[in-house]
Amino acid sequence: MLAFRSQRARPSLTLLGLAALLSACSLGRDERSAQATEQAAVDAARDAMLAAARALGGTDLKATGRWASCPGGIGQRYVGGGSMKAPKGNVAGQLEAIRSAVAAAGFTDVTQVKENVTMQRDDISVNLNYNRVYEGWPLSFRSTCHTYPRADAKRVKSSANREIEGLSP
């Protein structure tokens, strides 16, 4: 009897898994252009990095971004990363300084992992944490997944890294 229940539940579990996967991506066409999404992600990354740099006295800010496929191949999102050097200090205190500074720059704190600062503005997530090996502050950012019309297809199919400009604190 147990084997029978297991086989009956399999389609339901498959559908539940598929629904969870699809909920991470927008199934409809994005309301804004790919260029606007890219610009929103770049602006969010720049604003977060500059706020963090001001809070810590950070230097050597560098970041790039590019288009990437979403998990499951449904849609595209703009992703990127970068780094910042900062004077050594109490990491917990520095994390709180970053959190406050980035929140003051218009982000909402959505941190769920200790020793990370994860902030969100609109549909762009930005994450900063201290890397003890590198002795710096890496940053990652990403937009949510969206599908784009043919007019934006060339832009979102490009996987070339683009440098984010204007990262001088």
Side-chain angles (χ1 to χ4, degrees), residues 47-167:
D47 292 351
M49 286 187 81
L50 290 173
R54 284 188 214 101
L56 302 184
T59 60
D60 296 332
L61 281 69
K62 299 173 187 161
T64 61
R66 66 182 180 83
W67 284 99
S69 294
C70 293
I74 301 173
Q76 301 284 338
R77 64 180 168 194
Y78 200 76
V79 300
S83 62
M84 169 183 71
K85 290 284 190 180
K88 291 186 179 186
N90 174 316
V91 174
Q94 289 177 320
L95 283 166
E96 287 309 311
I98 289 172
R99 187 181 324 279
S100 295
V102 176
F107 290 78
T108 302
D109 185 2
V110 294
T111 303
Q112 296 181 2
V113 178
K114 188 177 179 179
E115 298 187 6
N116 279 277
V117 173
T118 305
M119 306 296 274
Q120 189 168 356
R121 182 167 69 189
D122 300 323
D123 64 340
I124 312 298
S125 295
V126 177
N127 184 54
L128 289 124
N129 66 322
Y130 182 72
N131 183 306
R132 288 171 181 17
V133 174
Y134 162 70
E135 294 184 347
W137 292 87
L139 162 116
S140 63
F141 64 92
R142 65 187 165 105
S143 68
T144 55
C145 295
H146 293 283
T147 58
Y148 293 96
R150 288 186 183 156
D152 286 330
K154 185 176 179 182
R155 182 177 211 96
V156 300
K157 295 295 180 191
S158 168
S159 62
N161 274 329
R162 293 182 182 98
E163 187 174 333
I164 295 176
E165 305 209 358
L167 291 176

Side-chain angles (χ1 to χ4, degrees), residues 33-43 67 78 148 155 162:
S33 69
Q35 182 177 2
T37 297
E38 183 176 324
Q39 191 62 52
V42 166
D43 290 347
W67 284 99
Y78 200 76
Y148 293 96
R155 182 177 211 96
R162 293 182 182 98

